[in-house]
Amino acid sequence: GAGGALRASVFGVSDGLVSNFALVMGVAGGAGHGDVVLLAGVAGLVAGAGSMAAGEWISVKSQRELYEREIDVERAELAEFPEEEREELELIFRAKGMSAEQAASAVAEVMADPDIALDTLVREELGLDPADLDSPWVAAGSSFAAFAVGATIPVLPFVLAGGTRAVFASAVFSALALFGVGAALSLFTGRSSLRSGLRMLAIGVVASAVTYAIGTLVGVGLA
């Protein structure tokens, strides 16, 4: 569980960093004014984090409702067809290596308590833990926070400075963060941290360079 949360956080930071870095560079190339870049960066941060949180909430909420529905169906089947559920559970236990006598004895103990019987059936038949369904609010909050952390890095220099210095500082800070996030992802992929860091850096640099060039062209055209 902790590993899953950490992985989601790292990906959230990565999304916020890459998308807002590209946005900031695009606006910097087109406008060149620090206050405009700052406004665009903050808007991108809030909009992106909100979108991520909303999407995660809907996804996890829908998944939770699906699981709860499956548990309700299992509860109804247990109440209406206890003998069939008993037979299914015996077959599951025998498939795990129990003898017929051991399986029958274990099922008799499980079926003696309806709550334990439901919990066991849900775990064995559905592969779910009824007490450990993901919270959509926790998922949404984590996504919002992780995206916001990543999206803040390219914007921060424009809070403290302006002009070319801010653009340069944003590029340097973002590049370092991109490499760090890529290296962190190697903890989950098992690949080389150097290779993962350089790959993430290359993706961010290419994305920001393209948007900067487009921003510059659009800015010249508007001028």
Side-chain angles (χ1 to χ4, degrees), residues 9-199:
S9 296
V10 172
F11 278 108
V13 170
S14 172
D15 288 343
L17 177 58
V18 173
S19 63
N20 224 32
F21 181 34
L23 173 62
V24 165
M25 290 296 105
V27 177
H33 303 294
D35 53 347
V36 177
V37 177
L38 178 60
L39 176 60
V42 172
L45 186 159
V46 175
S51 176
M52 285 283 292
E56 194 70 13
W57 189 92
I58 292 172
S59 175
V60 174
K61 181 66 173 178
S62 299
Q63 184 182 59
R64 185 185 179 97
E65 289 174 346
L66 172 63
Y67 291 161
E68 288 173 344
R69 172 61 179 163
E70 291 179 344
I71 292 172
D72 288 341
V73 170
E74 199 64 42
R75 182 182 292 107
E77 290 179 349
L78 180 61
E80 295 178 20
F81 313 106
E83 289 306 316
E84 292 183 9
E85 294 300 310
R86 179 189 295 271
E87 292 174 4
E88 288 180 10
L89 202 51
E90 283 189 22
L91 289 174
I92 291 172
F93 286 166
R94 291 190 65 181
K96 290 179 178 290
M98 289 186 180
S99 65
E101 294 76 13
Q102 289 174 325
S105 176
V107 170
E109 288 189 36
V110 168
M111 297 295 287
D113 187 322
D115 291 333
I116 295 177
L118 178 62
D119 184 86
T120 304
L121 284 164
V122 168
R123 291 173 185 272
E124 297 296 338
E125 287 192 24
L126 305 179
L128 300 176
D129 181 353
D132 192 31
L133 299 182
D134 292 338
S135 167
W137 293 107
V138 171
S142 300
S143 295
F144 185 96
F147 187 98
V149 168
T152 298
I153 296 172
V155 178
L156 190 58
F158 293 92
V159 176
L160 306 175
T164 306
R165 288 187 302 170
V167 174
F168 179 77
S170 177
V172 171
F173 291 162
S174 298
L176 293 173
L178 283 165
F179 182 85
V181 169
L185 289 175
S186 68
L187 296 174
F188 310 110
T189 62
R191 301 295 179 88
S192 165
S193 58
L194 177 61
R195 180 179 178 181
S196 296
L198 291 175
R199 181 173 60 185

